[in-house]
Amino acid sequence: MLKSASREVLPQRGDVSWQRLDRRLEQGIPFNWHHHSEMELTLTLNCVGQRFVGDHVSGFVDGDLALVGSNLPHTWASQDRIDLSQPFLAKVIWFDAEWLKAIGRSAPEFSALTSFCDRAQRGLQFSQATQSQARPLVERLFDLPVREGITTLLELLLLLSRDDGATTLSSIGFLQKSEGYSDRMNRVLDHVHQHYDQPITVEALAAIAALSPSGLHRMFIRHVGVSLSSYLINLRIGEACARLAATNLPVRIISQDVGYSSQANFNRHFLRTRSETPSAYRNRIRGSDRRRH
């Protein structure tokens, strides 16, 4: 069930500079659209699904590492595990941007962290090479007592700051809202996320929102920063990416499963949003997985 874009307030500890959460879920990673003042670094394991950061939607696979900026709305969502005997796993790290910038200003060895915070404000997905190097550092952070992990955290963040291959996620024009969505907006997004694999009309969504089609369009742009049609395309293509990476299903079947009655339309939208064909995407992701193993 879709939640509102709520402001989350993390419990504060006066004796440490960072916090962590080792998520181990048996029923999947739920869609929970939210934001908070802390920056968030998430390593997702043993699952495939979709990552939503601002107005960016993308599929993710095992080992995905992404950083979310302060107050940038985000969520991960997954219902597909790789090893069914193990839970869905997400190792989440939170820290304050101003704290990290202050460290960058206080010591020349850490100066790269100041500009890194600014780069990460729109969200960053890290390159495969950096993900491979960062993963043991993240796992070490969850083996150590929190108070002893600060040096490892700084080592990790310096490594990430040097990743020239990191990809910026949300668009520069995305409006970062500190308030939750209206009830109308929640109803519309709820319907879109539950029925994206079926035909969805503007008229039906306008009725759900109790608005005219033009009023729905204005509301969607105001809250999300992109049009309804663009959001729906990104949602469907993001789900297709996860299935291309995690299954051997034919492209034709995947295109139908994510809501396309025409494979030609699916191929056109995929090429436009990912700058490659579905088959090329699958081959590239599978090739990266083989190189990592």
Side-chain angles (χ1 to χ4, degrees), residues 17-277:
S17 302
W18 66 287
Q19 298 183 66
R20 68 189 182 190
L21 176 64
D22 198 357
R23 300 187 75 189
R24 306 174 67 87
L25 304 170
E26 294 295 340
Q27 303 301 320
I29 300 176
F31 187 97
N32 181 23
W33 187 236
H34 68 286
H35 64 94
H36 39 70
S37 61
E38 295 81 5
M39 301 182 74
E40 177 179 315
L41 180 67
T42 298
L43 173 65
T44 315
L45 303 169
N46 194 43
C47 56
V48 298
Q50 292 178 281
R51 181 184 353 94
F52 303 78
V53 178
D55 58 359
H56 178 88
V57 183
S58 180
F60 72 83
V61 296
D62 176 72
D64 179 72
L65 184 66
L67 179 62
V68 176
S70 174
N71 284 317
L72 181 63
H74 61 279
T75 190
W76 278 248
S78 174
Q79 294 297 319
D80 297 309
R81 278 182 284 187
I82 296 171
D83 182 349
L84 297 181
S85 67
Q86 298 296 318
F88 297 80
L89 301 173
K91 295 184 179 295
V92 185
I93 297 168
W94 295 292
F95 53 89
D96 184 74
E98 290 306 316
W99 165 79
L100 194 61
K101 288 183 178 181
I103 291 176
R105 291 190 295 265
S106 66
E109 294 86 353
F110 295 116
S111 60
L113 297 178
T114 303
S115 59
F116 177 58
C117 281
D118 294 331
R119 285 177 56 212
Q121 184 55 37
R122 288 160 53 198
L124 291 173
Q125 179 188 12
F126 298 99
S127 65
Q128 292 290 341
T130 296
Q131 287 183 37
S132 297
Q133 294 174 359
R135 181 166 174 169
L137 292 175
V138 175
E139 292 173 338
R140 188 195 307 169
L141 280 171
F142 284 80
D143 292 333
L144 292 169
V146 175
R147 288 178 60 84
E148 297 177 17
I150 186 65
T151 55
T152 299
L153 176 61
L154 291 174
E155 180 184 356
L156 170 63
L157 294 174
L158 280 173
L159 170 66
L160 299 180
S161 72
R162 301 187 190 107
D163 185 6
D164 294 332
T167 303
T168 303
L169 300 179
S170 182
S171 71
I172 196 169
F174 181 75
L175 299 178
Q176 297 172 18
K177 299 282 186 183
S178 61
E179 300 296 330
Y181 288 154
S182 66
D183 289 341
R184 288 178 174 180
M185 191 67 194
N186 285 332
R187 293 198 301 270
V188 169
L189 287 175
D190 192 3
H191 186 86
V192 169
H193 279 266
Q194 290 191 36
H195 303 286
Y196 70 89
D197 56 345
Q198 304 167 24
I200 294 178
T201 66
V202 172
E203 290 75 18
L205 292 178
I208 289 171
L211 291 169
S212 66
S214 60
L216 171 67
H217 175 76
R218 289 192 297 271
M219 181 186 73
F220 207 92
I221 291 289
R222 182 172 68 253
H223 280 292
V224 183
V226 296
S227 69
L228 172 60
S229 60
S230 294
Y231 187 89
L232 185 56
I233 288 171
N234 284 333
L235 182 62
R236 287 169 169 167
I237 297 302
E239 177 64 21
C241 286
R243 297 187 186 207
L244 287 165
T247 76
N248 293 316
L249 288 172
V251 173
R252 173 179 56 82
I253 298 300
I254 290 176
S255 69
Q256 295 171 358
D257 287 347
V258 300
Y260 282 91
S261 58
S262 166
Q263 188 176 342
N265 283 340
F266 171 74
N267 290 340
R268 183 170 62 254
H269 288 166
F270 198 102
L271 183 62
R272 189 178 75 197
T273 58
R274 294 295 185 268
S275 299
E276 59 186 337
T277 66

